[in-house]
Amino acid sequence: MSRGSSVSLLGVYKHFQTDAGPVQAVNGIGIEVAPGASVAITGPSGCGKSTLLSLIGALERPSRGRVQIGEVAVSKLDETDRAAIRRELIGFVFQSDNLQPFLTAVENVSLQLALSGADDGYERSLTLLDALGLGGAAGKYPDQLSGGERQRVAVARALVHRPALILADEPTGALDVDNSSVVADLLREAQAEVGATLIVITHDPAVAAGLDRQIALSDGRVTADSKPALSGAVDAAPHAGEVAGGV
Amino acid sequence: MADSGPALVQVEGLRKAYRDAGVETPVLTGTSFALGRGETVSMVGSSGAGKSTLLSILAGLMLPDSGEVRFDGEALTGKGEAERATLRARRIGVVLQRDNLIPFLTAAENVELASELAYGDRRADLARQLLAELGLAGRADDLPRRLSGGEAQRAAIAVALVNKPDLLLADEVTGELDSESARRVVELILAASAERGLTVLLVTHSPELARLAQRRLRVANGEVLEEADAEVIER
């Protein structure tokens, strides 16, 4: 897929039970993200950012509300279908690069394609690493690469299947300033290249400022949005029937 | 029980040193040992003793400066990178202390991926069967973040076993688990060995867990010693 998906959240809530009692991690969020947009989500630790990204990425289901990627209401899908959506439509980048230590860089990138049964995964991965200036790293194992190189390989892994949506959770959180800048630039360039929608959770103001739109969270709610006209009305409580799994 | 035939892994005169800014630090100093077929072997040793270097060489991730590793009669250390990678994918299972699973894939997908990479075949039924055998029948569709530490390591064992390897290298796999979960993980590995004739090398800091293996090794001063011999030297 070469074009980004829209992302739509309508009256989304997520609560967890913990030993200390219930936690309302996401508390009535409504956001519309246009296809191909780049969005930074910021806010203090514990404000619900990572939970929100997990809901958008079909890693978790909301307690209430609706999450939609393009035309697909991912919050209503069962486990198998959500796994397929994650594989086919989404590229993930996390703070930890999560590269497999006994696979080379190019093998790590091709993992994403292997599960989709692509026959040319290795060649496509090699081509992408070359295009990203990482051709020299292709045959190396993760512990032979610097932290910045590993995270760039992880970005390549998130892109190689040309996802409609790239989700990055603190992708520069473990990097120094120079490497942060390289990885942030790479994400934006990659987004432009594949035309994907990009949503980045970040504590880094420089990373956030480089994206089209900035949304701030606090206590599981949106407290600031640089393009508020795109959200507003969808912050309302969910309608009956929008409860996850209820329809 | 261990087979009485030729060893699965034969290590001869292995030497490895790291060089940094002209300073050479020897890690392995000409050590030799063997792992029998179907044998379960634990390996202890202080941090920095060379255990991880040794495992990297046995897994074909790293080459020694000199010496040889023979795997099932063939010189692993004489093979090229691609051949070693294929052998590792098909015949050697590796489980590490953490981060064995890809976080955006379910437990079942992680297991299927290992067979896809080795043979181009997803083996979905086998993946679920293995997870069930490891007590994870109800967890196959869960993401790693939903699994406890012990469950995640059991899923990692399923990943390591799906290609029916001859050798399982387990590097501090219980390092982040409570003692009960740790014992269960090690017992499952040893049971897998008994059922499948799998050779296991279990690197651990825990003397209690080390004693569960049929044979115990210790790495010290760049050498691999039988634990009984190491105890005599210490006295």
Side-chain angles (χ1 to χ4, degrees):
Chain A
M1 183 167 301
S2 60
R3 187 166 173 281
S5 280
S6 61
V7 174
S8 169
L9 285 81
L10 180 66
V12 170
Y13 293 74
K14 181 67 179 178
H15 56 77
F16 299 104
Q17 285 296 330
T18 69
D19 292 343
V23 173
Q24 192 72 46
V26 170
N27 201 7
I29 286 184
I31 299 172
E32 292 281 347
V33 177
S38 64
V39 180
I41 297 177
T42 63
S45 297
C47 72
K49 304 187 297 293
S50 290
T51 303
L52 184 63
L53 203 76
S54 297
L55 295 170
I56 296 170
L59 294 165
E60 303 271 358
R61 296 180 81 182
S63 306
R64 293 161 60 191
R66 179 185 181 93
V67 178
Q68 191 159 327
I69 300 175
E71 299 300 313
V72 182
V74 294
S75 51
K76 298 187 187 307
L77 300 178
D78 63 18
E79 296 282 359
T80 307
D81 288 342
R82 282 192 292 133
I85 290 289
R86 289 193 296 267
R87 256 192 334 262
E88 306 298 336
L89 289 188
I90 304 174
F92 292 95
V93 183
F94 296 97
Q95 180 169 344
S96 168
D97 55 67
N98 296 112
L99 299 181
Q100 295 292 291
F102 40 90
L103 297 179
T104 60
V106 65
E107 288 170 337
N108 266 287
V109 174
S110 66
L111 290 182
Q112 187 81 48
L113 293 167
L115 270 180
S116 303
D119 293 331
D120 57 349
Y122 190 92
E123 291 73 19
R124 282 166 66 184
S125 302
L126 206 52
T127 302
L128 178 61
L129 286 173
D130 270 338
L132 299 177
L134 288 163
K140 293 183 176 173
Y141 292 102
D143 70 358
Q144 296 171 319
L145 303 175
S146 70
E149 286 173 326
R150 284 199 300 272
Q151 192 63 318
R152 286 156 66 200
V153 172
V155 171
R157 183 180 62 185
L159 299 174
V160 71
H161 57 310
R162 299 186 74 82
L165 175 61
I166 302 168
L167 299 177
D169 191 351
E170 294 284 2
T172 63
L175 303 178
D176 60 28
V177 174
D178 289 344
N179 276 308
S180 290
S181 171
V182 169
V183 168
D185 288 347
L186 180 60
L187 273 171
R188 284 198 305 273
E189 288 163 15
Q191 179 221 2
E193 166 66 23
V194 301
T197 304
L198 172 65
I199 301 179
V200 181
I201 287 180
T202 183
H203 276 110
D204 185 337
V207 173
L211 304 182
D212 299 339
R213 179 178 172 193
Q214 295 76 34
I215 295 173
L217 299 191
S218 181
D219 293 330
R221 297 173 191 273
V222 174
T223 54
D225 187 338
S226 67
K227 296 190 176 173
L230 294 174
S231 56
V234 289
D235 278 334
H239 303 296
E242 291 294 352
V243 174
V247 175
Chain B
M1 278 301 289
D3 193 306
S4 58
L8 178 70
V9 178
Q10 186 75 48
V11 175
E12 294 290 346
L14 214 56
R15 289 181 185 274
K16 181 73 181 179
Y18 292 107
R19 292 161 196 85
D20 186 26
V23 178
E24 184 171 294
T25 308
V27 181
L28 299 172
T29 56
T31 194
S32 302
F33 65 97
L35 302 175
R37 290 171 197 277
E39 189 176 36
T40 62
V41 181
S42 62
M43 181 178 279
V44 297
S46 55
S47 297
K51 302 187 298 296
S52 293
T53 299
L54 187 56
L55 249 63
S56 293
I57 293 172
L58 292 180
L61 290 169
M62 183 189 283
L63 288 172
D65 295 334
S66 63
E68 186 177 73
V69 175
R70 298 187 77 79
F71 184 93
D72 201 10
E74 285 188 72
L76 174 67
T77 39
K79 291 181 184 295
E81 185 83 40
E83 273 188 294
R84 281 185 278 131
T86 300
L87 186 137
R88 180 169 58 249
R90 296 186 171 184
R91 301 192 64 186
I92 303 176
V94 183
V95 186
L96 306 174
Q97 183 167 354
R98 65 167 81 90
D99 295 337
N100 290 289
L101 303 175
I102 295 176
F104 48 84
L105 300 180
T106 64
E109 285 179 315
N110 268 281
V111 180
E112 290 169 25
L113 180 60
S115 64
E116 174 72 37
L117 288 175
Y119 291 103
D121 175 4
R122 289 195 46 178
R123 301 186 186 186
D125 292 344
L126 178 59
R128 283 173 189 275
Q129 180 193 325
L130 263 176
L131 288 167
E133 286 173 14
L134 293 162
L136 296 170
R139 309 299 255 159
D141 292 316
D142 282 341
L143 292 158
R145 64 170 63 196
R146 289 286 186 85
L147 305 177
S148 69
E151 288 171 337
Q153 289 302 69
R154 279 147 54 200
I157 294 168
V159 171
L161 294 181
V162 71
N163 294 320
K164 300 184 170 65
D166 301 292
L167 173 65
L168 180 70
L169 301 174
D171 190 4
E172 293 289 359
V173 294
T174 62
E176 298 190 352
L177 305 182
D178 62 65
S179 58
E180 190 178 329
S181 301
R183 191 174 178 96
R184 180 162 187 212
V185 163
V186 170
E187 286 174 346
L188 282 167
I189 289 173
L190 299 181
S193 167
E195 285 166 17
R196 299 155 191 268
L198 176 71
T199 302
V200 172
L201 182 60
L202 177 76
V203 172
T204 178
H205 274 113
S206 162
E208 291 78 19
L209 296 175
R211 277 195 285 274
L212 296 176
Q214 293 164 345
R215 184 174 145 223
R216 290 183 290 150
L217 300 175
R218 173 181 291 271
V219 183
N221 302 320
E223 294 273 359
V224 177
L225 305 167
E226 297 291 333
E227 181 70 321
D229 297 338
E231 286 169 356
V232 170
I233 291 168
E234 280 176 5
R235 282 191 214 114

